[in-house]
Amino acid sequence: MQLRAEAIVQRPRQQVFEAYRDHLVELVPDLPSIRAIEVLSRKESDGKVEIVNVWHGGGDIPQPLRAFLSESVLSWTDYATWNAADFTCEWRSESHSFKDAVDSRGKNEFVEIGPSRSMIRIVGEIRVDAAKIPAVPRLLASTAGGLVERFLVKQIEDNLREVAAGVERFLARHR
């Protein structure tokens, strides 16, 4: 399933990009659906920064999915390569619950849309092979896979908007 979302931040692109890349952990208090973010590693070279973060989400799992999913599905490891030259971040995420069943990857673009306005655009794809989720009966795998994909896409879209608003609040406090 395709993923595409955009959020506007009333700050210059450079500030937004750097806050998102370098201060994500500090944004957690401004992110209602995120309980914690742990930085596992950070490597910098040639204008690129590679970061591995573990995200611990929160929120409710819709009733039809509760039979197949637990709260642990809301934790994931994010592998991101940030490129300052073109203000992008390529990422892939691994679900902690179903590593083999979920493939999630994409790109964040930070676009200048005015002297003090930026847009964060996320474009990606999520594929769920529900047949690889132990609790899903084989006959329901395709239906469950679509439900899980829609749920995850919505979570990522909501998360992007929350992070954008959190970046704006963070920058208002620190700039």
Side-chain angles (χ1 to χ4, degrees), residues 52-64:
V52 179
N53 289 324
V54 175
W55 293 65
H56 300 281
D60 290 328
I61 295 174
Q63 186 64 37

Side-chain angles (χ1 to χ4, degrees), residues 4-143:
R4 183 176 177 91
E6 297 174 344
I8 303 295
V9 180
Q10 301 296 327
R11 293 289 175 167
R13 173 174 65 172
Q14 184 78 32
Q15 289 180 9
V16 173
F17 181 83
E18 290 174 358
Y20 202 133
R21 182 191 64 195
D22 301 333
H23 299 283
L24 197 55
V25 171
E26 297 167 65
L27 297 175
V28 171
D30 292 309
L31 307 177
S33 67
I34 302 299
R35 292 189 326 266
I37 299 172
E38 304 168 55
V39 179
L40 294 185
S41 68
R42 180 184 174 109
K43 297 177 192 169
E44 298 183 37
S45 68
D46 300 327
K48 292 186 180 180
V49 180
E50 293 180 20
I51 302 174
V52 179
N53 289 324
V54 175
W55 293 65
H56 300 281
D60 290 328
I61 295 174
Q63 186 64 37
L65 298 179
R66 288 184 188 162
F68 311 120
L69 305 177
S70 68
E71 289 292 324
S72 64
V73 77
L74 299 178
S75 291
W76 64 94
T77 301
D78 180 60
Y79 301 87
T81 301
W82 294 81
N83 186 344
D86 64 1
F87 294 94
T88 62
C89 173
E90 292 189 38
W91 55 268
R92 71 177 176 82
S93 297
E94 273 184 9
S95 166
H96 290 185
S97 297
F98 311 111
K99 288 181 184 180
D100 296 333
V102 180
D103 181 27
S104 175
R105 59 187 70 238
K107 185 176 191 174
N108 293 9
E109 301 169 329
F110 295 77
V111 181
E112 187 173 347
I113 57 175
S116 292
R117 283 184 83 205
S118 305
M119 177 176 50
I120 305 171
R121 178 184 301 130
I122 184 171
V123 178
E125 188 171 18
I126 295 177
R127 294 188 188 277
V128 176
D129 183 351
K132 294 181 179 176
I133 300 174
V136 176
R138 189 170 294 295
L139 291 174
L140 297 177
S142 64
T143 301

